Amino acid sequence: MRMSSMRGMLAATAVIFGLMGPAAADTPKDTLVQAWQIDDIISLDPAEIFELSAAEIAGNTYERLIGYDIQDVSKLHGEVAESWTVSADGKSITFKIRPDRKFASGNPITAGDVAFSLQRAVLLDKSPAFIINQFGITKDNVKEMIKANGDGELVFSMDKPYAVSFVLYCLTSTVASVVDQKLAMENEKDGDFGYEWLKTHYAGSGPFKIRDWRANEAVVLERNENYSGDAPALARVIYRHVPETATQRLLLEKGDIDVARNLGPEEIDAVGKDGKIQIVKAPKGTLYYFSLNQKNEILAKPQVRQAMKYLVDYDAIADTIMKNLGETHQNFLPKGFLGAVNDNAFKLDVEKAKALLTEAGYPDGFAITMDVRSTQPVTGIAEAVQQSLAKGGIKMEIIPGDGKQTLTKYRARQHDLYIGQWGADYQDPHTNAQTFASNPDNADDGASKTLAWRNAWATPELNKETDAAILESDTAKRAALYEKMQKEVNDTGPFVIMFQQTEVAAVNDNVKNYVLGPSFDTNLVAPITKE
């Protein structure tokens, strides 16, 4: 490395880590600093990313074959792909790859890189692999089903003629991010396709590249000078992990950060009165819910599952803890999705809940635990649920932890109750129908680790319904299938779905073009400028 380059890197590092340390005031014009609760980040590898914060990072640093207009999600466009054609039998899609594009490393982007990226996601078989598996693609056949035709074409084959829009939306998800094959394989260890290296490093082609991740501290993005699109105005973006909402507000008002991402209702109202701070809001396809592990014999009783749905004071939480942050929504498809049911069937009804508990054999209630990520508003919701469950005789102990701890336990099916958020992986109703209503293999080593699987809920009939819905070409009939599934999950499922998120960011007024997208991975920072 030349000495001038080394000096530049050292200078940039000093700026970055200075901003992550004690209050610096007045962030640089070329740097955006966001305070956000990012303790859920487990990995930076797109084949493994399945958390809200990491997915946003990937959405700003990796490209996919295709994307969609965040102002109108029905409009799909090519990213790495220039165009695509569907075969006559509907069982394969051929993507033409844009020529003369590069990764951040300088390596050219080819159809081989796209094939490698999708294949490695299936072969590594991490949590999001099921998004690709659902097209009949397995470890055994992936290299035949997904393959490059020279450098310029990728052929994506499927076992059935699925609805084309469904397939395309799946390929906008994080797991479909295009990885630099040459760079990943240069860092391969014991046949892992570069997995151990990519957990903490970067091999993408997006407008920003990941410079550094310090767990529970910060993520630093830096402008990708080899990006093939319009160059971002910002040189870098820093996500600071600031768990306390009051601290976020203080840092924002002092000018030490540009954006606060986790302010509570009262803090949003307060800073919104300051003419120097703008409040940016967007409805998201993200749900707040808690779930009941069916391995617990008490929670496995259908009357207990229903009783808990009547022991939540939805209205009180919506008016206080979730004010400005969301609205009551009790179905697994968020508002705005095809087939979404927007009627709320449950309200706090202690007497009805007690009758159901008595019928289940628990007239005096029982004791239970809930794993809770130590962030707001999740902790506040959990505490409110704790109080309302007590009215039915249910004594709930809150077990706090950071995002990694609670998610790891949840994914191992070792919880009693788990509370958290679920964001749609792509803009098609199957994304949530599959995870809430489908569990084709309930064994502990089951391949499809949906939310139904995480809660050990066997769904033999709903499996058939979710499979049928993705083959239905008539839009109205397809919507009706999802409406039916939502009612069935509400009636019998182990999920207490409570709220749909409204994402809110408090932004200094010198920041322009700050937009929150419809999904957790479409809060894009490339268009942002600072005055």
Side-chain angles (χ1 to χ4, degrees):
M1 180 179 288
R2 294 179 301 171
M3 186 56 67
S4 60
S5 298
M6 178 64 78
R7 290 195 189 102
M9 179 172 287
L10 291 173
T13 301
V15 170
I16 290 166
F17 292 136
L19 287 167
M20 292 191 296
D26 297 330
T27 62
K29 294 293 186 185
D30 65 351
T31 301
L32 184 79
V33 184
Q34 303 194 63
W36 199 22
Q37 297 164 348
I38 56 172
D39 60 328
D40 61 332
I41 299 177
I42 295 172
S43 172
L44 298 178
D45 188 335
E48 185 172 33
I49 289 171
F50 216 41
E51 299 76 42
L52 301 181
S53 303
E56 176 170 328
I57 302 301
N60 284 289
T61 56
Y62 283 87
E63 294 180 289
R64 292 94 190 250
L65 269 171
I66 54 177
Y68 57 83
D69 185 339
I70 64 172
Q71 304 298 332
D72 182 353
V73 299
S74 68
K75 296 179 179 177
L76 290 160
H77 60 259
E79 288 189 1
V80 170
E82 185 174 71
S83 60
W84 55 88
T85 56
V86 182
S87 64
D89 64 2
K91 294 172 67 173
S92 70
I93 303 176
T94 299
F95 295 90
K96 184 178 180 182
I97 305 303
R98 294 182 187 276
D100 304 322
R101 292 171 72 93
K102 295 180 180 179
F103 288 102
S105 66
N107 294 329
I109 301 174
T110 69
D113 293 292
V114 182
F116 168 78
S117 304
L118 297 172
Q119 289 171 4
R120 78 183 289 273
V122 172
L123 294 169
L124 289 172
D125 195 26
K126 303 301 178 182
S127 293
F130 73 88
I131 295 173
I132 302 173
N133 295 147
Q134 62 194 335
F135 300 110
I137 299 172
T138 67
K139 289 182 178 182
D140 292 333
N141 67 16
V142 64
K143 292 191 176 180
E144 286 301 313
M145 300 291 275
I146 303 174
K147 55 187 178 181
N149 182 14
D151 286 343
E153 283 190 350
L154 176 96
V155 182
F156 186 91
S157 300
M158 301 159 285
D159 61 339
K160 297 176 185 176
Y162 297 95
V164 175
S165 61
F166 162 55
V167 183
L168 294 176
Y169 279 120
C170 285
L171 294 176
T172 69
S173 63
T174 302
V175 74
S177 299
V178 180
V179 172
D180 184 335
Q181 179 179 9
K182 184 174 185 292
L183 184 57
M185 294 304 286
E186 284 173 356
N187 292 280
E188 182 184 34
K189 184 178 180 181
D190 300 325
D192 72 347
F193 304 100
Y195 165 69
E196 285 298 331
W197 182 79
L198 264 178
K199 283 173 71 75
T200 56
H201 291 83
Y202 170 70
S205 61
F208 287 88
K209 57 186 179 181
I210 302 171
R211 177 191 177 92
D212 192 29
W213 167 40
R214 291 162 59 164
N216 289 4
E217 188 172 343
V219 176
V220 181
L221 309 186
E222 199 169 68
R223 184 167 53 214
N224 173 12
E225 302 298 343
N226 281 325
Y227 179 55
S228 300
D230 295 333
L234 297 169
R236 67 187 63 85
V237 176
I238 301 172
Y239 295 87
R240 289 182 57 182
H241 177 56
V242 182
E244 301 84 10
T245 61
T247 305
Q248 289 194 17
R249 176 185 174 183
L250 179 63
L251 292 170
L252 181 68
E253 290 177 334
K254 290 177 64 178
D256 295 340
I257 62 172
D258 300 299
V259 185
R261 297 284 295 273
N262 300 106
L263 299 189
E266 294 180 359
E267 291 154 338
I268 291 168
D269 286 340
V271 300
K273 296 174 183 176
D274 186 334
K276 297 181 180 179
I277 297 172
Q278 55 183 316
I279 302 299
V280 178
K281 297 184 179 182
K284 308 291 277 196
T286 301
L287 304 173
Y288 289 88
Y289 75 101
F290 70 88
S291 59
L292 293 64
N293 191 343
Q294 299 301 281
K295 287 190 170 189
N296 183 308
E297 62 180 14
I298 298 174
L299 301 179
K301 299 207 172 197
Q303 300 95 327
V304 172
R305 296 198 294 263
Q306 286 301 91
M308 286 199 167
K309 296 171 188 179
Y310 287 106
L311 284 174
V312 176
D313 196 342
Y314 304 92
D315 292 341
I317 298 172
D319 291 341
T320 54
I321 298 163
M322 290 300 292
K323 182 184 177 184
N324 296 321
L325 302 178
E327 60 178 317
T328 303
H329 186 77
Q330 298 174 355
N331 299 283
F332 68 66
L333 282 182
K335 284 185 177 180
F337 274 63
L338 175 70
V341 175
N342 299 319
D343 297 334
N344 297 317
F346 303 102
K347 62 180 180 180
L348 180 64
D349 190 334
V350 176
E351 293 309 311
K352 187 165 187 174
K354 284 183 174 180
L356 285 164
L357 291 173
T358 299
E359 185 181 336
Y362 302 101
D364 300 320
F366 51 86
I368 205 76
T369 64
M370 175 183 277
D371 289 285
V372 181
R373 181 184 176 194
S374 298
T375 59
Q376 295 294 354
V378 171
T379 296
I381 298 172
E383 290 169 347
V385 170
Q386 182 185 48
Q387 294 172 17
S388 57
L389 288 180
K391 295 178 181 179
I394 300 174
K395 305 170 195 64
M396 187 186 88
E397 176 191 353
I398 290 176
I399 302 177
D402 66 21
K404 293 185 292 296
Q405 291 168 333
T406 56
L407 276 170
T408 299
K409 185 175 179 181
Y410 186 36
R411 289 172 178 171
R413 313 210 292 186
Q414 295 173 351
H415 62 294
D416 284 337
L417 306 177
Y418 170 85
I419 187 169
Q421 296 165 269
W422 179 261
D425 289 306
Y426 45 89
Q427 298 294 316
D428 184 274
H430 184 69
T431 182
N432 278 19
Q434 182 183 39
T435 200
F436 282 95
S438 175
N439 179 13
D441 182 356
N442 197 35
D444 283 343
D445 60 353
S448 187
K449 295 176 172 59
T450 63
L451 293 186
W453 176 88
R454 288 186 197 178
N455 291 283
W457 184 41
T459 59
E461 294 305 315
L462 281 165
N463 291 342
K464 298 174 186 175
E465 293 179 35
T466 55
D467 289 345
I470 52 176
L471 295 173
E472 178 55 65
S473 58
D474 184 287
T475 301
K477 290 180 180 178
R478 191 169 182 231
L481 293 174
Y482 289 115
E483 291 168 8
K484 180 174 180 288
M485 276 186 265
Q486 287 166 92
K487 185 177 186 310
E488 291 173 359
V489 171
N490 261 351
D491 288 345
T492 64
F495 304 104
V496 183
I497 301 168
M498 299 175 286
F499 306 102
Q500 181 171 343
Q501 181 187 18
T502 300
E503 188 168 14
V504 182
V507 184
N508 274 329
D509 66 352
N510 68 327
V511 176
K512 306 301 178 184
N513 303 319
Y514 190 94
V515 178
L516 296 169
S519 184
F520 51 83
D521 59 350
T522 54
N523 296 330
L524 306 180
V525 295
I528 294 174
T529 60
K530 288 177 68 177
E531 295 180 350

